[in-house]
Amino acid sequence: MSTPKKILFYILLVISAFLVFFPVLYAFMISFMSGGEILQGKFFPKSIHFDNYIKVFDRLPLMNYLINSFIVSFGVMLGQLVVCSLAAYAFVFIPFKGREFIFFLFISTMMIPWEATMIPNFFTIQKLDWMNTYQGLTVPFFALAFGTFLLRQHFKTIPKELHEAAEVAGLGKFAFFWRVILPVSKTSLVTLGAYGFLTTWNMYLWPLLVTSTDQVRTVQIGLKQLQSQEVATEWGVVMAGVIVVIIPTLLLLFAGQKQLQKGLTQGALK
């Protein structure tokens, strides 16, 4: 690529990045503004003060919501890693009758929208008396067809000779999975973990359905409460809450961007 084209390419990238990131940047600026500055339509705050951040923690149990979101997101992430990696291992390294048919049947569940399974899952959680519990918020999301497909595609690239050598060396199936498969699949595992954590962190409808108390509710419900309560006209407070909530996801996204991109590319190509 010639130098003028490269310069034009980078200029377009910078403009695109600014347009995509503008809502977050504007929310960050509003979080430091008073009500009068917001009504005047200013972009930059007159001064940097943290009154809105103090108010948001005073008016809502936001720290409790953040801890709940961390517990739920981390629990779903671990559950998906365990269930999907074991399922992918079985679909690749354990021969059994109808394996391919069962795999494609399992993968076909990706075409079923989550909303169609929400009501049966809700009644199941209710029957198990898991309302207002962490297991009710996490267990229904452990089995993920996309995660199984992603890891299976990576496991299929591992040479069969390695499996045969492990059997000759006397390694059992679980030992081979734990000591050989998992260490060489770190990229795909990190990708699936980041995907599961971010997806769960941004979830709103399911926590709203299965929780009715602040003890286990997550930050997304807290943000909705913040917007609908008496502070609805104080957009500086609302945006301060939004910034607090999205900071963990932005940090995770920036830290794991390369691994996430690499893992998704591997799953798409192999």
Side-chain angles (χ1 to χ4, degrees):
M1 185 182 293
S2 61
T3 302
K5 287 185 177 179
K6 189 179 290 185
I7 294 174
L8 179 62
F9 178 69
Y10 280 108
I11 290 174
L12 291 175
L13 283 180
V14 170
I15 293 173
S16 301
F18 178 76
L19 291 176
V20 171
F21 199 67
F22 180 78
V24 178
L25 183 63
Y26 190 48
F28 182 71
M29 293 297 177
I30 289 179
S31 69
F32 294 106
M33 294 183 189
S34 62
E37 290 177 292
I38 297 173
L39 291 177
Q40 291 173 10
K42 292 184 176 180
F43 183 76
F44 293 103
K46 188 177 180 180
S47 61
I48 302 295
H49 56 83
F50 295 93
D51 293 348
N52 291 330
Y53 288 90
I54 296 173
K55 288 179 182 177
V56 75
F57 280 97
D58 286 340
R59 297 181 182 182
L60 275 181
L62 193 58
M63 184 56 69
N64 187 36
Y65 290 156
L66 284 170
I67 293 172
N68 289 336
S69 283
F70 268 114
I71 293 173
V72 173
S73 301
F74 195 71
V76 172
M77 181 185 73
L78 283 182
Q80 288 182 349
L81 287 176
V82 172
V83 174
C84 294
S85 59
L86 288 173
Y89 177 78
F91 282 127
V92 175
F93 292 102
I94 300 178
F96 57 89
K97 190 175 181 180
R99 185 175 65 175
E100 295 299 320
F101 173 75
I102 294 174
F103 172 71
F104 286 113
L105 188 64
F106 182 62
I107 290 300
S108 66
T109 60
M110 292 173 64
M111 294 186 291
I112 302 175
W114 159 246
E115 289 77 8
T117 61
M118 189 185 308
I119 300 302
N121 281 331
F122 175 77
F123 284 123
T124 303
I125 295 299
Q126 197 176 39
K127 290 287 184 185
L128 292 172
D129 197 19
W130 282 1
M131 301 292 288
N132 293 310
T133 60
Y134 289 124
Q135 57 266 35
L137 288 165
T138 56
V139 173
F141 302 96
F142 282 1
L144 182 68
F146 167 73
T148 304
F149 172 76
L150 179 72
L151 295 181
R152 177 183 177 268
Q153 295 304 100
H154 179 72
F155 290 175
K156 288 183 71 174
T157 64
I158 298 173
K160 296 290 184 185
E161 292 77 9
L162 194 61
H163 187 210
E164 294 171 358
E167 289 181 336
V168 172
L171 281 179
K173 293 186 183 303
F174 185 76
F176 176 68
F177 167 75
W178 183 258
R179 296 170 61 179
V180 179
I181 297 297
L182 293 185
V184 300
S185 307
K186 288 181 180 177
T187 301
S188 297
L189 292 172
V190 170
T191 302
L192 178 60
Y195 174 82
F197 187 92
L198 293 174
T199 305
T200 309
W201 184 275
N202 293 320
M203 196 180 297
Y204 173 74
L205 190 54
W206 181 252
L208 183 65
L209 279 175
V210 300
T211 62
S212 58
T213 65
D214 290 338
Q215 293 180 347
V216 292
R217 280 192 158 172
T218 57
V219 288
Q220 304 302 332
I221 300 175
L223 283 181
K224 184 61 180 174
Q225 289 178 351
L226 190 65
Q227 185 184 0
S228 58
Q229 286 177 358
E230 68 277 4
V231 294
T233 55
E234 297 186 38
W235 287 106
V237 179
V238 177
M239 290 305 159
V242 171
I243 294 300
V244 170
V245 170
I246 66 173
I247 282 176
T249 58
L250 288 179
L251 291 177
L252 180 63
L253 193 61
F254 289 146
Q257 184 180 8
K258 288 185 178 179
Q259 295 290 336
L260 188 63
Q261 185 178 7
K262 187 177 178 182
L264 289 175
T265 305
Q266 282 182 343
L269 296 178
K270 292 179 179 178

